[in-house]
Amino acid sequence: MSTTDTTQPAETTPATGSRLAARDLTLAYEERTVVEGLDLDVPDGRVTVVVGPNACGKSTLLRALGRLLKPERGAVLLDGEQLARIPTRRIARSLGLLPQTPVAPEAVTVADLVSRGRQPHQRWWRQWSEEDERAVADAMARTDVAELADRPVDELSGGQRQRVWIAMALAQETDLLLLDEPTTYLDVSHQVEVLDLVRRLNHERGRTVVAVLHDLNQAARYADHLVAMKAGRVVAAGRPAEVVTADLVREVFGLESVVVPDPVTGGPLVVPGRPWGGATA
């Protein structure tokens, strides 16, 4: 077991405009420290994307923000209160989490799976209600899966399944949504489809989103706030236009590149340097 000090800090209020924050956060699996001394403020009503090389701690950080992993040191704060001290049901009403590879029960239908997002709102004296029905119908309409309601989830394409999982998270009706690599295993068209959906939900409903992505150019295109990590620490954070530079790409990913304006959005676009054996100009 880890011998890292697990003393919890005093509760503090996060910076203005940040309901979700981390303070001096250290995360470990047994004796292997993955994230150390990390501070983070998630801007409210914005899309924050976390990027970095494999094994840098991105998904581990998201697990901690969703209270799936207990900090070794420091704390995650929700509305200024330590996440570890908040009842699970109360957290589930404020924060929705879509893990990297969710698994649906065998033969469950789309409607059944999406309706499970309403569980945090259920009570023994108050079961299914008109409000639950409205929330599920709205979530399915916004993710364009209503016509799939009676189909088994395991018969759907990758892009359809991902939309269904997002619909379940939306039916939970939380202000904060955490997405761990929502485009994993999807082809390019389905990746764009899912990220466009996330951006639209942010714009239309003001949802605060934190997503982990592998693709730096996708992150730069869809993020309001970009967090670059390396070896368990935050290297840079801010607007993509400020963060994504050739120096940062070299430092974080070990890749020589040229950063040019995206011809569609005007934001930063990373063009890798000449590959080994590439033709000279």
Side-chain angles (χ1 to χ4, degrees):
M1 297 297 293
S2 172
T3 57
T4 305
D5 179 16
T6 58
T7 302
Q8 294 288 344
E11 292 183 14
T12 58
T13 301
T16 301
S18 180
R19 293 186 60 201
L20 184 63
R23 294 289 179 266
D24 191 31
L25 191 64
T26 295
L27 306 170
Y29 296 107
E30 296 184 346
E31 296 184 356
R32 183 172 65 91
T33 298
V34 180
V35 171
E36 186 170 9
L38 183 144
D39 289 318
L40 178 70
D41 289 293
V42 176
D44 289 345
R46 299 289 184 266
V47 175
T48 294
V49 178
V50 184
V51 298
N54 290 341
C56 73
K58 304 185 298 297
S59 293
T60 299
L61 170 61
L62 205 73
R63 285 171 55 82
L65 293 178
R67 210 177 77 166
L68 295 182
L69 182 63
K70 181 180 179 181
E72 289 284 308
R73 188 179 71 244
V76 174
L77 306 176
L78 178 62
D79 295 325
E81 187 176 354
Q82 290 186 30
L83 206 62
R85 299 179 181 178
I86 302 176
T88 299
R89 187 177 291 272
R90 200 172 113 206
I91 292 174
R93 291 177 184 170
S94 297
L95 193 154
L97 171 64
L98 179 60
Q100 186 176 40
T101 53
V103 179
E106 187 175 356
V108 69
T109 66
V110 168
D112 287 341
L113 185 63
V114 176
S115 69
R116 297 184 185 207
R118 299 302 297 168
Q119 289 180 353
H121 303 274
Q122 304 299 311
R123 291 289 189 275
W124 67 267
W125 68 87
R126 175 189 176 277
Q127 295 300 312
W128 196 256
S129 68
E130 290 184 2
E131 180 64 16
D132 296 323
E133 192 72 32
R134 179 207 58 76
V136 169
D138 182 66
M140 293 177 66
R142 288 187 171 275
T143 53
D144 197 24
V145 298
E147 64 181 23
L148 305 175
D150 296 326
R151 290 185 58 184
V153 174
D154 53 15
E155 291 182 3
L156 303 180
S157 69
Q160 289 172 325
R161 282 197 302 270
Q162 202 69 332
R163 292 206 313 271
V164 170
W165 283 109
I166 293 175
M168 187 186 75
L170 292 180
Q172 196 173 332
E173 291 195 322
T174 61
D175 295 326
L176 295 155
L177 184 60
L178 310 180
L179 305 172
D180 190 1
E181 299 188 20
T183 59
T184 298
Y185 307 127
L186 301 182
D187 59 35
V188 173
S189 63
H190 284 133
Q191 290 175 23
V192 171
E193 178 182 342
V194 167
L195 293 174
D196 279 346
L197 168 62
V198 170
R199 206 67 176 97
R200 188 169 68 251
L201 293 169
N202 164 258
H203 276 290
E204 294 177 355
R205 292 295 181 93
R207 297 279 173 87
T208 299
V209 178
V210 183
V212 169
L213 293 179
H214 267 301
D215 190 308
L216 182 55
N217 283 328
Q218 287 183 345
R221 172 172 285 201
Y222 287 95
D224 297 306
H225 185 74
L226 194 67
V227 177
M229 291 184 63
K230 180 182 180 181
R233 297 179 182 274
V234 173
V235 175
R239 294 174 54 247
E242 300 168 347
V243 170
V244 181
T245 65
D247 288 341
L248 178 112
V249 175
R250 183 185 308 110
E251 178 182 359
V252 172
F253 295 95
L255 176 69
E256 295 296 333
S257 66
V258 177
V259 177
V260 299
D262 185 318
V264 176
T265 67
L269 178 69
V270 177
V271 180
R274 184 183 297 119
W276 179 85
T280 60

